[in-house]
Amino acid sequence: MKLDTRAMRHLAAEDWRVLTAVEMGSKNHEIVPTPLIEKLARLRGGVSGVHRSISALAKVGLIARVKEAKYDGYRLTYGGLDYLALHTHASRKDVYSVGNRIGVGKESDIMVVADHSGKQCVLKIHRLGRISFRTVKSNRDYLKNRNAQSWMYLSRLAAMKEYAFMNALHEEGFPVPVPLAQSRHTIVMSLVDAFPLRQISEVPDPASLYADLISLILRLASHGLIHGDYNEFNILVKEIKSTAEDGTESIVLEPVIIDFPQMVSMEHVNAEMYFDRDVNCIKRFFLRRFHFTPSQPGPFFKDAKKTVGKGGLKRLDATVEASGFTKKMLKDLEAAIKDKKTVGEGQEGANEDDEDDEDDYDKDGDEDSEEEEGEEEEGDDEDEGEGRQEALLSGGLS
Ligand code: ADP
Ligand code: MG
């Protein structure tokens, strides 16, 4: 799903009010009845103004009319939610313009954005809940409960959780992007000037990078956490030039970890499985890519478990839970992510032929003009060829 911000500058203040009204209404209504939109928007111009805005919003695909419904109504589209989030980021001065997309996963879009000072940052848009309905088909309960809000709810949860973890990890001095802002299903973070490990074909000293990556796993564990998707796509490697006293130059590699919606506590019932999977993922990659085999076995979960919170180390799993995440939220998100993993496992080639899933999800078939998904690999750099930043709003924002 492409983020096209062009229509943003043409929306009037009333249009934003109406769009916000549809968002508010969709908390309790799968399809928001038009009279409710009128009521929530409370435009000075009255009902006719609301109708004008509704047409304008529907025309650019931010809301969609649902025809087969028992009553006349609209629902918010992904594009509409994107616009609302960007509008919030813009009015808080976190984002000024949107540039190229640098990454696309099955459940996220990664865009380069700039703030008012021109500093480049990264906007991650979570897109959970509209994928992998092939596996969901076998899950009646999920299907039954599926409604217009589920993708909104799940995507928002993913962004909230990711942001909470990024904050906690950043505060604790872990090498992660700097969390800058969050709204709805999106987060803004610093742009890491580095390539994913996956794109690195050679390193001067695999053993030392391997040791760094394993010690990060252990350091996370000592704070009560498991990354849960510790792979070559989610580890960015910074190349830092350093000059020794005798003038010889060398390059030091510094890993930066990203992608946190699936992080789990060391207390999770399946913690050992997640821990081992993270460790093995790195081992497998180092063997395949760099023909490197560590001289020691492990690390092992049972040893890592003993270090949790030791010496007064802050429990970051508890910090995040204390930040307003209810058990139900974590469970909902976990179920959705597990579902995605079944399809997305291995990430490569996992996007094949999911068009039917899209159809299945979006019965109205009106908002998605996808052409790119299903062909791209997550994490691969992508150049949309435009190289420009699109300012979000021309004038001042209320
Ligand atoms: P997903 O949940 O879809 O896997 P990620 O957060 O892993 O999303 O991001 C996907 C890709 O986007 C990464 O592999 C990386 O190439 C790029 N990326 C994400 N965040 C940043 C960042 N802060 N700086 C630079 N590149 C990033
Ligand atoms: Mg990722």
Side-chain angles (χ1 to χ4, degrees):
M1 146 118 202
K2 228 172 219 154
L3 173 68
D4 183 352
T5 58
R6 273 173 304 186
M8 225 166 142
R9 275 166 297 169
H10 305 299
L11 295 185
E14 301 86 66
D15 302 336
W16 286 110
R17 275 189 85 111
V18 172
L19 190 58
T20 307
V22 177
E23 184 189 33
M24 281 159 66
S26 50
K27 293 205 174 99
N28 295 313
H29 297 262
E30 196 170 334
I31 299 155
V32 191
T34 311
L36 182 62
I37 303 177
E38 289 160 5
K39 202 171 129 211
L40 291 169
R42 275 192 294 164
L43 288 193
R44 219 174 286 146
V47 173
S48 71
V50 175
H51 287 194
R52 225 179 0 247
S53 288
I54 285 180
S55 311
L57 295 169
K59 203 166 144 210
V60 287
L62 304 183
I63 59 175
R65 177 144 187 207
V66 187
K67 297 169 195 96
E68 75 259 52
K70 290 185 204 88
Y71 53 89
D72 187 22
Y74 292 82
R75 63 181 176 77
L76 197 63
T77 65
Y78 250 118
L81 192 65
D82 291 354
Y83 268 43
L84 285 164
L86 280 172
H87 190 255
T88 299
H89 287 310
S91 46
R92 292 184 189 154
K93 303 239 189 303
D94 292 315
V95 175
Y96 176 73
S97 60
V98 173
N100 285 347
R101 182 163 62 175
I102 56 166
V104 57
K106 270 180 83 75
E107 57 292 314
S108 80
D109 280 327
I110 312 287
M111 318 280 304
V112 174
V113 297
D115 68 8
H116 279 251
S117 68
K119 194 184 81 195
Q120 293 202 315
C121 312
V122 163
L123 172 78
K124 177 170 180 178
I125 308 176
H126 286 269
R127 304 209 184 277
L128 222 68
R130 65 171 187 153
I131 48 130
S132 67
F133 278 102
R134 197 180 307 129
T135 52
V136 169
K137 267 174 205 155
S138 57
N139 185 339
R140 291 251 169 86
D141 281 349
Y142 194 113
L143 265 183
K144 228 190 299 170
N145 296 332
R146 161 162 84 96
N147 58 36
Q149 293 141 281
S150 74
W151 60 265
M152 243 187 270
Y153 169 67
L154 292 170
S155 302
R156 184 169 57 89
L157 280 190
M160 282 168 62
K161 185 175 167 196
E162 176 150 49
Y163 193 68
F165 275 112
M166 208 182 281
N167 260 317
L169 292 169
H170 176 67
E171 269 175 29
E172 208 50 51
F174 276 90
V176 297
V178 184
L180 300 170
Q182 192 248 318
S183 170
R184 299 175 178 84
H185 61 325
T186 69
I187 60 180
V188 183
M189 62 183 127
S190 63
L191 173 70
V192 180
D193 184 18
F195 289 111
L197 179 58
R198 150 135 178 117
Q199 277 168 249
I200 293 172
S201 51
E202 251 182 298
V203 292
D205 185 4
S208 118
L209 181 60
Y210 175 83
D212 288 349
L213 293 177
I214 294 295
S215 67
L216 272 173
I217 292 183
L218 294 175
R219 194 172 149 208
L220 284 172
S222 69
H223 285 277
L225 292 177
I226 301 168
H227 184 280
D229 201 8
Y230 204 66
N231 63 35
E232 63 271 25
F233 295 92
N234 293 333
I235 295 162
L236 309 180
V237 183
K238 270 194 189 162
E239 296 184 349
I240 295 165
K241 278 208 180 86
S242 76
T243 316
E245 274 173 22
D246 63 359
T248 47
E249 283 199 347
S250 60
I251 290 177
V252 180
L253 298 181
E254 251 183 50
V256 176
I257 324 169
I258 58 166
D259 204 356
F260 312 111
Q262 70 294 315
M263 281 194 106
V264 292
S265 161
M266 284 287 282
E267 312 287 345
H268 189 282
V269 277
N270 298 322
E272 182 159 11
M273 183 275 285
Y274 287 121
F275 181 90
D276 288 348
R277 197 173 69 182
D278 278 2
V279 169
N280 289 331
C281 210
I282 293 305
K283 284 192 174 169
R284 208 178 322 118
F285 182 79
F286 269 69
L287 178 63
R288 223 175 42 215
R289 177 68 55 90
F290 307 123
H291 309 291
F292 170 81
T293 320
S295 52
Q296 288 171 356
F300 299 106
F301 177 75
K302 62 172 181 0
D303 302 323
K305 188 79 201 263
K306 290 180 201 141
T307 70
V308 177
K310 218 171 167 191
L313 278 181
K314 198 164 170 190
R315 290 285 300 259
L316 298 182
D317 48 349
T319 308
V320 170
E321 263 191 57
S323 76
F325 255 89
T326 63
K327 288 247 167 8
K328 179 180 183 314
M329 284 166 142
L330 289 173
K331 241 173 87 188
D332 286 349
L333 188 58
E334 196 181 333
I337 288 176
K338 210 182 273 160
D339 178 49
K340 138 204 150 183
K341 282 272 173 298
T342 344
V343 170
E345 204 65 80
Q347 317 214 11
E348 285 159 83
N351 290 358
E352 280 160 36
D353 104 274
D354 63 355
E355 293 84 351
D356 52 317
D357 298 357
E358 293 289 340
D359 289 353
D360 196 39
Y361 167 67
D362 186 13
K363 260 199 273 165
D364 320 304
D366 46 9
E367 71 184 86
D368 295 305
S369 54
E370 330 266 353
E371 73 285 14
E372 72 282 290
E373 293 195 4
E375 280 127 52
E376 283 162 326
E377 257 176 21
E378 173 186 12
D380 279 354
D381 272 11
E382 180 199 41
D383 188 355
E384 307 238 291
E386 283 156 23
R388 61 181 160 73
Q389 294 267 335
E390 186 91 39
L392 293 178
L393 303 149
S394 50
L397 263 172
S398 52

